[in-house]
Amino acid sequence: MAEAARTYDKTSIGEKMTGVNIEFNIQDALDAMLHIEAAINDTQSLFSHMGEVLLDIHEARFNAQESPDGIPWQALSPWYQKSKSKQKDKILTLDGNLRSTLHWQIEGNTLLFGTNLIYGAIHQFGGTIKPVRGNALNVGGRPVKKVVIPARPWLGINAQDKLLLVDVVREHLGFA
């Protein structure tokens, strides 16, 4: 766009006044729109970047031991904490499998994020585990009739995380 200062006489405006003449180059706008269209069609690199950001977000969540909303995870039961062979001060961590199996994948126009470990859901939502065979479960060398696991939400995003992801989209579209 180009601006040029001009003084108009009274035949064009009614009385003399100073104004600005604005010229719009439509080609610049069209080029910008084509760039945005190309970026929108390139979901692979956008989703890849978003997937890596989600991994970082969830790594920080495990370190802070809190839900996406910032609520600390419920503490381990004293008997379980005492029976843990390692990582006694870490919730949702014994060998680090849940944390280390987080991954993302792209299916068409969808970014999938999570874990393939079956016990990921019970830690997210909570629940009761009962023996399928026999009368008791073996938990830390101790027979129990059932184990109640409280919900400790660990997957998801909060408002701050959404802003990070919006920044990724803006950068991808060239609006940084």
Side-chain angles (χ1 to χ4, degrees):
M1 279 200 245
E3 295 180 20
R6 261 190 180 157
T7 302
Y8 297 92
D9 63 24
K10 65 185 201 170
T11 58
S12 63
I13 300 284
E15 60 182 74
K16 285 197 173 214
M17 101 182 239
T18 302
V20 175
N21 182 32
I22 299 173
E23 295 176 13
F24 182 72
N25 182 345
I26 192 72
Q27 190 60 50
D28 291 343
L30 290 173
D31 290 345
M33 290 173 68
L34 289 172
H35 171 76
I36 291 169
E37 181 185 23
I40 288 171
N41 289 331
D42 179 18
T43 56
Q44 289 288 115
S45 64
L46 172 61
F47 287 167
S48 295
H49 192 173
M50 291 176 86
E52 293 301 316
V53 168
L54 286 168
L55 286 173
D56 291 343
I57 287 168
H58 287 81
E59 178 71 20
R61 181 153 310 127
F62 266 89
N63 291 338
Q65 299 187 85
E66 63 185 24
S67 74
D69 297 329
I71 299 168
W73 292 332
Q74 182 173 327
L76 297 172
S77 66
W79 72 266
Y80 179 69
Q81 187 172 24
K82 188 182 284 189
S83 72
K84 280 181 78 174
S85 59
K86 52 191 165 188
Q87 307 280 358
K88 291 181 182 282
D89 62 332
K90 301 286 184 210
I91 302 167
L92 299 186
T93 303
L94 181 61
D95 294 315
N97 292 337
L98 187 59
R99 176 190 291 211
S100 67
T101 59
L102 278 175
H103 65 278
W104 56 267
Q105 68 186 51
I106 301 167
E107 286 188 8
N109 287 327
T110 304
L111 173 64
L112 303 172
F113 182 84
T115 181
N116 60 353
L117 293 178
I118 195 158
Y119 59 83
I122 198 155
H123 288 303
Q124 177 78 12
F125 303 109
T128 301
I129 301 173
K130 297 178 182 177
V132 175
R133 288 179 238 107
N135 295 325
L137 299 165
N138 180 353
V139 180
R142 175 178 144 180
V144 294
K145 297 270 184 201
K146 65 180 178 179
V147 175
V148 177
I149 297 181
R152 294 184 177 105
W154 56 283
L155 279 171
I157 58 173
N158 59 32
Q160 183 179 351
D161 301 335
K162 285 179 187 177
L163 291 176
L164 280 173
L165 294 171
V166 166
D167 284 344
V168 169
V169 173
R170 282 186 179 139
E171 180 182 321
H172 181 75
L173 296 177
F175 295 146

